[in-house]
Amino acid sequence: MTILETILPVFLMIALGKFLKAKNIITDNGISCIKSISTNVFLPVMAFDTLIHGSFSANSLILVGLEVFALFSAFTIGLFLKRFFDAKIKGYVPYAMATYEGGLFGWALVALLVGSKSSAMFSIVSMDIVSGVFCFTIMATGLKFLAGQKMSKKEVVISIVTNPLIIAVILGFIGAAFNLGDLIDSSKFAGLYTKTTNFFIQPLSPMILICIGSGLVFNWDVLKKGLKLAVFRYIIQIFICAIVILVIYFTIRLSQSLLIALLVYFFVPTSFLLSMYAKDKEAIEFTSGYLSLQILISLIIYSGISIYASQVL
């Protein structure tokens, strides 16, 4: 694996997304449809396929516990940092500090480096489902409240149990418990299964990267609104990532693939759900600038990790 083979296609797809949006070849509605297909069809297939080829064990429980630690540590720190921000946006700060955009960003980048069926990818998916539940419960409820909406307990439960990605993850864990991946791979349907799942999985990365590129903001007046919090977030994530890696090192075997996957995952942006509930101009510009800065910083970090990965994998 060469560095250019990994990094260049990522930047080309993102640049293509920006170009297509600028030329109005892809509209906001079109981007919304691509995201919907990715999150409701392609990502669930990838999650299911990754999980049934993994092995859920006591080590997986440690990883899930570390994800809970990471989420609530960042959220708690965000509650403290609220005081340093304008009244119109300070309510978004705790949610902006916590969560990781695994599905629409991190998974694609991790898979490019370590493979979609690797044990490292299995670990990331296992961890990220906790972030997903956090997003669809605590974060979604809080953001709706900030936007002046209300979400009943029934709506929260329905949003979780009907989410295709969560359903796929649950089925994937069940499949892993019964060694479904090995059973399929050793059956006469192995070729059919692999080709079919590849049709769903292979378009995922370019589609997601195009969507990311289309949403990038390069207006400095907008970007600077999210700069202070972006700096805070990455400083905090450095410490959280270091703690997680140290715990894994002393409890679970820390392979090079898992180390690379964790480094990519912990420096991806906050969940894109953050921008979906912003209503007033101040909040919209803040979330747009904040997420765009994180995407740019994440890609720079990813480039460095890719260089390291090319040397050790």
Side-chain angles (χ1 to χ4, degrees), residues 122-141:
F122 174 84
S123 298
I124 295 302
V125 173
S126 302
M127 294 172 69
D128 194 55
I129 189 57
V130 180
S131 180
V133 172
F134 184 95
C135 286
F136 290 114
T137 54
I138 297 173
M139 186 174 185
T141 303

Side-chain angles (χ1 to χ4, degrees), residues 142-156:
L143 291 176
K144 284 189 175 184
F145 177 78
L146 289 172
Q149 303 178 42
K150 292 184 178 180
M151 192 174 186
S152 66
K153 292 180 180 179
K154 181 179 179 181
E155 288 175 324
V156 172

Side-chain angles (χ1 to χ4, degrees), residues 84-312:
F84 300 110
F85 292 86
D86 185 83
K88 292 183 178 180
I89 62 174
K90 68 179 183 179
Y92 293 88
V93 172
Y95 306 105
M97 285 292 292
T99 76
Y100 305 92
E101 185 50 71
L104 283 176
F105 195 94
W107 291 16
L109 297 185
V110 171
L112 286 172
L113 293 182
V114 302
S116 62
K117 293 184 180 181
S118 65
S119 60
M121 188 68 197
F122 174 84
S123 298
I124 295 302
V125 173
S126 302
M127 294 172 69
D128 194 55
I129 189 57
V130 180
S131 180
V133 172
F134 184 95
C135 286
F136 290 114
T137 54
I138 297 173
M139 186 174 185
T141 303
L143 291 176
K144 284 189 175 184
F145 177 78
L146 289 172
Q149 303 178 42
K150 292 184 178 180
M151 192 174 186
S152 66
K153 292 180 180 179
K154 181 179 179 181
E155 288 175 324
V156 172
V157 172
I158 291 175
S159 70
I160 295 173
V161 299
T162 60
N163 184 282
L165 185 55
I166 292 179
I167 293 171
V169 169
I170 293 172
L171 293 176
F173 280 136
I174 294 172
F178 290 95
N179 297 316
L180 181 59
D182 292 337
L183 292 174
I184 292 175
D185 292 343
S186 60
S187 73
K188 62 181 179 181
F189 300 106
L192 175 62
Y193 173 83
T194 300
K195 288 182 179 179
T196 302
T197 53
N198 283 344
F199 273 123
F200 288 92
I201 295 172
Q202 289 176 354
L204 181 61
S205 293
M207 289 178 70
I208 289 175
L209 293 173
I210 286 173
C211 288
I212 290 170
S214 68
L216 278 178
V217 175
F218 291 107
N219 184 324
W220 174 243
D221 289 334
V222 175
L223 287 174
K224 68 182 181 182
K225 293 180 182 294
L227 179 60
K228 181 165 65 174
L229 186 56
V231 172
F232 278 138
R233 174 176 166 83
Y234 280 99
I235 291 174
I236 297 304
Q237 288 303 317
I238 288 172
F239 285 101
I240 290 176
C241 182
I243 292 171
V244 169
I245 288 175
L246 282 173
V247 172
I248 292 174
Y249 179 81
F250 287 109
T251 59
I252 306 172
R253 190 179 71 86
L254 183 65
S255 65
Q256 290 290 349
S257 294
L258 180 56
L259 174 61
I260 288 166
L262 289 168
L263 290 173
V264 173
Y265 179 71
F266 275 103
F267 294 103
V268 299
T270 304
S271 170
F272 294 162
L273 195 67
L274 182 70
S275 62
M276 291 177 60
Y277 297 103
K279 297 298 181 183
D280 58 83
K281 182 176 182 292
E282 190 76 18
I284 291 171
E285 290 190 346
F286 166 70
T287 55
S288 296
Y290 179 63
L291 289 173
S292 292
L293 276 171
Q294 285 189 86
I295 289 170
L296 294 171
I297 295 170
S298 296
L299 290 172
I300 293 171
I301 294 173
Y302 177 76
S303 299
I305 296 171
S306 298
I307 294 173
Y308 173 71
S310 69
Q311 304 297 316
V312 300

